[in-house]
Amino acid sequence: MALSSRMPELSAFEVLLAIAQTGSLGAAGKQLGLTQQAVSARLSAMEAQIGVRLAVRTARGSRLTSAGAVVTEWADQLLDVAAQVDAGLASLRTESRQKMKVAASLTIAEQLMPRWIVSLQASATRAGRAAPEVVLTATNSEQAISSVRDGSADLGFIESPGVLSGIRSRVVAHDDLVVIVPPGHKWARRAKGVSAAELSGTPLVVRELGSGTRDSLTAALRAVLGHDVQEAHPVLELSSSVAVRGAVLAGAGPAVMSRLAVADDLAVGRLRRVVVPELDLHRDLRAIWTGGRTPPAGAVRDLLSHIG
């Protein structure tokens, strides 16, 4: 039930309680760090607001009316509860600064989060303060979004393209998808690469539905071939980037993966990149949270400020 407009603020109850404890407006002012005139004005405003006389001013001090004595008892209980709530909120603020739950898509969790966390911890150590504890869950972008929405994660990191309803986001990194095959695959010998249509019609090794990598590929194909494009049924559907990479190395078929995840393989020739000139496979990697435009204060904001 909503409080009425006659309900005073906590500061007014503090003034009344101080008057009851000290017996005068001047002494109450000293206790609260206010002038006698300010105490008198606040008491008068409180009496006008609630419509009840609470204290009688005399030359020898102030005494409570019978109604004032009752309201003072309530004020004592109310301020005690408020103090407990205030202490509890302070504890929550401390916890939010010291610990956060993060849900990140696999590419970000595996390729970027370790570096970000270590760097944040080192920065905190140099500054002489405790580093926040990061509890990381590696998942896909769809589940990271759900975790942030339902509050089971304080912060999320995703690869998915598209509009996010009811969630704030910020670009924190960039990535490119690459089509990969083993060195002996027929596509590895094509200097001009493959077309978007051929890639779309080829059974690929893919991540599960909800993966940001899979969604990004679909969006890129639709941008070139239209929204009614029919992608070939996957040859394998796997739940991790490591599994997809292993399947490609074993000869299961081509795949589209984050360049971050296969950079070492491409550098030493274990895998070959196949160009698809028509497709824009660049993507933004985003941090997501709920609430205001500014990330929540504490560990969340510390981490995002650190990684830029």
Side-chain angles (χ1 to χ4, degrees):
M1 184 177 70
L3 297 175
S4 75
S5 60
R6 297 258 181 169
M7 178 65 179
E9 295 183 356
L10 289 176
S11 59
F13 288 109
E14 287 180 320
V15 167
L16 179 62
L17 193 58
I19 293 171
Q21 291 170 342
T22 63
S24 76
L25 301 184
K30 290 181 180 179
Q31 180 174 305
L32 297 172
L34 300 171
T35 64
Q36 179 175 331
Q37 292 78 10
V39 171
S40 180
R42 292 192 185 188
L43 177 60
S44 297
M46 183 180 186
E47 290 175 327
Q49 182 178 6
I50 67 177
V52 176
R53 187 76 176 272
L54 299 174
V56 177
R57 290 78 159 174
T58 69
R60 292 186 298 176
S62 299
R63 63 176 176 81
L64 298 178
T65 64
S66 57
V70 172
V71 176
T72 298
E73 288 186 21
W74 295 339
D76 192 31
Q77 298 172 37
L78 180 61
L79 292 171
D80 184 54
V81 172
Q84 294 178 44
V85 172
D86 190 30
L89 292 174
S91 176
L92 291 175
R93 284 193 296 272
T94 300
E95 182 179 348
S96 73
R97 190 164 292 279
Q98 294 177 341
K99 183 177 181 179
M100 65 177 152
K101 293 171 286 185
V102 176
S105 69
L106 277 175
T107 297
I108 298 173
E110 294 173 350
Q111 306 300 323
L112 297 174
M113 283 300 303
R115 186 173 75 221
W116 289 344
I117 293 171
V118 170
S119 178
L120 178 64
Q121 291 173 336
S123 177
T125 299
R126 287 194 298 271
R129 64 176 186 272
E133 178 186 352
V134 179
V135 180
L136 174 63
T137 299
T139 181
N140 60 39
S141 291
E142 186 177 271
Q143 285 301 314
I145 293 169
S146 295
S147 295
V148 169
R149 279 206 172 106
D150 67 23
S152 57
D154 304 306
L155 180 67
F157 291 96
I158 63 169
E159 312 154 30
S160 296
V163 177
L164 296 170
S165 175
I167 286 184
R168 301 290 186 179
S169 72
R170 173 188 296 178
V171 175
V172 293
H174 303 281
D175 184 28
D176 292 296
L177 297 179
V178 290
V179 180
I180 56 167
V181 295
H185 192 277
K186 62 181 181 180
W187 285 0
R189 297 187 292 274
R190 292 193 188 179
K192 296 183 179 180
V194 299
S195 68
E198 185 175 4
L199 179 65
S200 176
T202 300
L204 302 176
V205 181
V206 299
R207 287 277 310 282
E208 78 285 359
L209 290 172
S211 156
T213 297
R214 187 166 175 177
D215 290 345
S216 296
L217 173 60
T218 297
L221 289 171
R222 286 177 175 175
V224 172
L225 302 175
H227 280 269
D228 57 349
V229 61
Q230 295 294 317
E231 296 178 58
H233 188 75
V235 64
L236 281 176
E237 186 175 281
L238 302 169
S239 61
S240 74
S241 300
V242 173
V244 171
R245 170 185 170 277
V248 174
L249 287 170
V256 177
M257 295 187 67
S258 162
R259 184 191 295 273
L260 294 170
V262 294
D264 290 344
D265 296 300
L266 294 175
V268 300
R270 276 191 300 266
L271 292 171
R272 298 289 178 83
R273 179 192 174 206
V274 181
V275 298
V276 189
E278 300 161 274
L279 295 187
D280 178 7
L281 294 176
H282 173 81
R283 61 181 180 171
D284 295 327
L285 306 181
R286 292 181 172 272
I288 58 172
W289 66 91
T290 56
R293 291 185 178 181
T294 303
V300 169
R301 192 179 298 175
D302 290 346
L303 175 59
L304 292 184
S305 297
H306 186 74
I307 64 180

